């Protein structure tokens, strides 16, 4: 039998028709199954969690059939209470499916601790100030004492306690400096 005769035969057309019907039926069944299993058209609205404590956020999410997933804490934000939600994903008002994970970022209990770098003593104030400010510290009271090195940093302190290289202080801590005034002792 030649290929042209086979392609124009009744048997070939029956097989093609059966294949098309089978594909249509399978697609219809698959779409109905997806519609049922994915709860098509059934959404939950993401509530406002920003500024709320972990326990309140968890209760609100459970009430809305959503799951809380805590991401790592961010940098401390003084505008929000400690251990409260400062970010959420997806955003407020977003329509999501039931049991969707809502990722939240928490505000830590305070600023993280930073090491006092080495080599600050016997450096000029002009060199030390940007180094400390880049780490997040604030320059506090500046005291001058008799020393031949004008504006040379002789001592660092925080709340009256002398600081050494490697000591840890919370970011935004105020560091007082003792500088030389250029006069011989």
């Amino acid at each position: 039998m030649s290929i042209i005769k086979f392609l124009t035969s009744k048997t070939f057309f029956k097989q093609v028709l059966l294949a098309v019907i089978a594909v249509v039926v399978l697609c219809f069944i698959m779409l109905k199954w997806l519609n049922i299993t994915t709860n098509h058209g059934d959404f939950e609205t993401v509530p406002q969690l920003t500024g709320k404590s972990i326990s309140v956020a968890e209760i609100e999410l459970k009430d809305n059939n959503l799951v809380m997933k805590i991401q790592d804490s961010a940098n401390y934000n003084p505008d929000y209470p400690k251990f409260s939600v400062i970010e959420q994903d997806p955003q407020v008002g977003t329509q999501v499916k039931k049991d969707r994970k809502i990722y939240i970022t928490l505000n830590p209990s305070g600023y993280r601790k930073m090491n006092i770098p080495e080599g600050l003593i016997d450096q000029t104030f002009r060199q030390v100030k940007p180094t400390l400010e880049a780490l997040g510290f604030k320059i506090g009271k500046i005291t001058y004492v008799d020393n031949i090195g004008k504006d040379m940093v002789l001592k660092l302190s925080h709340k009256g306690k002398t600081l050494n290289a490697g000591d840890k202080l919370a970011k935004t801590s105020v560091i007082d400096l003792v500088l030389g005034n250029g006069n011989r002792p």
Side-chain angles (χ1 to χ4, degrees), residues 30-160:
M30 191 65 128
L31 288 172
K32 285 296 179 188
W33 176 75
L34 279 172
N35 214 7
I36 293 167
T37 57
T38 61
N39 298 324
H40 184 70
D42 186 20
F43 295 105
E44 300 291 338
T45 303
V46 178
Q48 168 74 303
L49 303 174
T50 307
K52 297 180 180 174
S53 69
I54 301 171
S55 55
V56 171
E58 189 170 23
I59 290 168
E60 282 195 30
L61 289 175
K62 280 184 181 177
D63 290 346
N64 288 303
N65 300 315
L66 300 170
V67 179
M68 178 170 65
K69 190 74 174 176
I70 299 174
Q71 290 184 320
D72 194 16
S73 296
N75 290 329
Y76 180 70
N77 187 339
D79 298 335
Y80 292 97
K82 295 177 182 180
F83 303 115
S84 66
V85 178
I86 57 175
E87 286 180 12
Q88 69 183 67
D89 185 42
Q91 296 300 318
V92 178
T94 305
Q95 298 286 318
V96 295
K97 295 289 186 179
K98 178 179 157 189
D99 295 328
R100 164 83 186 263
K101 290 180 185 170
I102 306 301
Y103 296 94
I104 62 171
T105 304
L106 297 177
N107 197 22
S109 62
Y111 290 105
R112 65 184 165 124
K113 303 245 181 208
M114 304 294 292
N115 285 330
I116 302 295
E118 290 186 31
L120 296 180
I121 304 297
D122 294 334
Q123 295 290 322
T124 64
F125 175 69
R126 203 172 98 178
Q127 292 170 317
V128 172
K129 183 180 183 225
T131 303
L132 291 175
E133 287 175 344
L135 291 171
F137 299 118
K138 294 179 181 170
I139 303 299
K141 188 172 118 184
I142 297 175
T143 309
Y144 288 92
V145 295
D146 286 340
N147 187 290
I148 197 160
K150 182 165 176 51
D151 289 333
M152 184 167 295
V153 176
L154 303 173
K155 182 175 139 184
L156 302 165
S157 64
H158 174 68
K159 295 183 180 176

